[in-house]
Amino acid sequence: MAAGVAAWLPFARAAAIGWMPVANCPMPLAPADKNKRQDELIVLNVSGRRFQTWRTTLERYPDTLLGSTEKEFFFNEDTKEYFFDRDPEVFRCVLNFYRTGKLHYPRYECISAYDDELAFYGILPEIIGDCCYEEYKDRKRENAERLMDDNDSENNQESMPSLSFRQTMWRAFENPHTSTLALVFYYVTGFFIAVSVITNVVETVPCGTVPGSKELPCGERYSVAFFCLDTACVMIFTVEYLLRLFAAPSRYRFIRSVMSIIDVVAIMPYYIGLVMTNNEDVSGAFVTLRVFRVFRIFKFSRHSQGLRILGYTLKSCASELGFLLFSLTMAIIIFATVMFYAEKGSSASKFTSIPASFWYTIVTMTTLGYGDMVPKTIAGKIFGSICSLSGVLVIALPVPVIVSNFSRIYHQNQRADKRRAQKKARLARIRVAKTGSSNAYLHSKRNGLLNEALELTGTPEEEHMGKTTSLIESQHHHLLHCLEKTTNHEFIDEQMFEQNCMESSMQNYPSTRSPSLSSHSGLTTTCCSRRSKKTTHLPNSNLPATRLRSMQELSTIHIQGSEQPSLTTSRSSLNLKADDGLRPNCKTSQITTAIISIPTPPALTPEGESRPPPASPGPNTNIPSIASNVVKVSAL
Amino acid sequence: MNRCPRRCRSPLGQAARSLYQLVTGSLSPDSVEDEFELSTVCHRPEGLEQLQEQTKFTRKELQVLYRGFKNECPSGIVNEENFKQIYSQFFPQGDSSTYATFLFNAFDTNHDGSVSFEDFVFGLSVILRGTIDDRLNWAFNLYDLNKDGCITKEEMLDIMKSIYDMMGKHTYPALREEAPREHVESFFQKMDRNKDGVVTIEEFIESCQKDENIMRSMQLFDNVI
């Protein structure tokens, strides 16, 4: 519940008068305001700057430093004020949190200083308001990266003997700067890539003439030399690939990665060529394979950061480029069609078909203008000029727009992704806050009932357990309790609700209901009839029905599930404070309350039967699906 | 353009106009007036002394009330949306918007769509410091949705459904469809003396005075402020 709204709690409680004439049951007592004193101003002196606020403002959050009695440690008797030797700037934000219920993060503040202050005042950073939460998370992430970088560079300095040989090799491959051997290897492979690429290029240069035959490219003239060079390069590449494959932490993932595919494509033509030697039929295909040797140049991307960034940029900008291509294609088709039909009439026209006109359109639109195809008719020339003008528009205009769009959309996408990721987290936070406040009520109910049960059995040391809720919370819970009484229904949490639904759909209700509950007029008479019974048996009958149910609930607790944590859930749920919104094992543990052969006084046994059916067959009939792994834990 | 007859606003005229704008390159004028919206209305309550006379709160209580009020509504008035949002914070499990609307209408005595601090404080004064009859009157006024002096079964059903809505889905025992209706039936059985299908204010007050539960619960929230 937001703190700002806490000021309206008295109004909500007063408005609850509207339920009173409608309710049929008596209402629970309001929590007594034991130490009701007049609201007073307290002075907080933070490093000399004095802040003043009402005491009740601070008490809105009782689990922080300022809201609890912890601040008494800072009370200065001489000046009758609370002195904190901390940063007054950040304290401003902290105090505003108490006043408005929203915690803001000032942008000029250092993230670690802010975190320290929040930790000092006992405030969780998760409750930073939505307006500042993104900024806070960004700064926090940057800081964490900085710390990680520092740690990494530290780790790189020290030797880590615990790494296996394989791991050291992988590290050497990925960061060549770790050791001199890795650096040597890095440069050697780089050199051989360069050699291989240059060989491929020079191979095709015409290299002087052998007398008596036509000009030969160098590759055929010095074929042995080139073959040796090629073999050497391919051997180096193969060895490198095999070493990487061996050292990779996940070989399957390595094989699938882009770099390894490039490696494979770079060396395969050689081996295929070895296999199919001197066979004239397939040598044509063999020659084609040589084209793939050019992929060796992509191996440079391991050596060049810039190349990798370019590749990543193209990949991320693919949709914009695709759109450009698509619009170009549309324009090309349109103009090619128009040119074809315009030039159809002229003789000896090169525009033989529409696909043939594609070439003309592309050359004209990109303003290349080779001149191998020119329109001859007047209409063709007109349309040709329109084509070239629109080519300028279609190509030249969108490109800068796309470039700037790309950078804007890229950042926007990043922010949208971040926001989407945070939206889930934000919704989860809202849900947690909601369930937290409703769970707080349920837990305090159990705590309250537990307290009364304990008071009955007379164990004084557990009494103080229930007093941990603040006055505001107890008032809020009283309000919810009144609503329960008005409608004669109780709040339960989701899992119990689903459980009840499951159980009620699985079995039939036994028809043996005690006659006192044959309610023709529905549930409204239920608790009243109980009430009329109770007044005879118990002294304080202000909470008759629930108290009795509590006795029966708590005397034995059924715990299902074979997981270990279920046991701790039973204990910890009794001690859960209001701010433990999320039960730790929500999904796994299921707690059903059941009555199991309670040695209750005979007057109460009719009530035992009146317990709704899902629970009562528990002891007697073995509900097949639930009875497995049932552990009985007696209360406390 | 003012002399342009009606048919000029046809799509053809608009197309011609936009083509003209396209050719001459004239941009549409910025609509400045859209940006200047009327900012929040600010409302100040009457003086503290007048409120002290008109209500039964002490000076300090009025101060505390106003501080809380102004904190949540800096503009000085609450409109229905705000009210519903504030009220929903207290009932996280269910949907309290309908009941909040009814409450809003009960507090908004002059029916101008907003609850000022005076309305707020007058209402609270009746609830917390009024006599039992005053409070019963106020509750009757809350139930009487059309303010015609009697509560019909439909009105009561609306109120009851809105109260049950606040419980939400996860209740024990599970809420059935007929639960509000049954509750209304039992209410009318108790309150409607002459069995004419409506509950008038006299019947209401009389029946409530006979029920000691209700009388006791009416005083439950006396020390809320």
Side-chain angles (χ1 to χ4, degrees), chain A residues 43 139 182 195 218 236 245 248 282 292 333-334 413 416 490 494 500 636:
Chain A
V43 182
R139 298 278 285 270
V195 160
C218 280
I236 300 270
L245 187 63
V282 293
F292 285 100
I333 293 179
I334 291 174
N413 263 352
E490 273 186 12
E494 272 195 52
N500 288 347
L636 309 163

Side-chain angles (χ1 to χ4, degrees), chain A residues 13 27-33 471 474-475 478-479 482, chain B residues 219-224:
Chain A
R13 299 180 68 213
M27 292 291 145
L29 273 185
D33 198 355
L471 182 63
S474 59
Q475 288 178 343
H478 173 249
L479 183 65
C482 286
Chain B
Q219 298 174 329
L220 194 58
F221 296 108
D222 271 359
N223 53 353
V224 151

Side-chain angles (χ1 to χ4, degrees), chain B residues 121-160:
Chain B
V121 126
F122 290 157
L124 280 185
S125 164
V126 169
I127 297 176
L128 298 176
R129 302 277 185 264
T131 65
I132 297 273
D133 278 353
D134 286 341
R135 299 177 197 195
L136 289 173
N137 251 320
W138 189 87
F140 185 85
N141 191 37
L142 173 69
Y143 300 148
D144 187 13
L145 297 178
N146 54 0
K147 317 286 178 233
D148 63 352
C150 49
I151 308 178
T152 64
K153 277 202 180 156
E154 286 74 27
E155 289 175 340
M156 204 59 219
L157 189 60
D158 285 341
I159 299 261
M160 202 63 76

Side-chain angles (χ1 to χ4, degrees), chain B residues 57 61-69 117 120-121 124 225:
Chain B
F57 288 120
E61 290 169 342
L62 282 172
Q63 284 179 335
V64 168
L65 277 173
Y66 188 66
R67 282 205 298 268
F69 184 84
F117 183 63
F120 183 70
V121 126
L124 280 185
I225 300 284

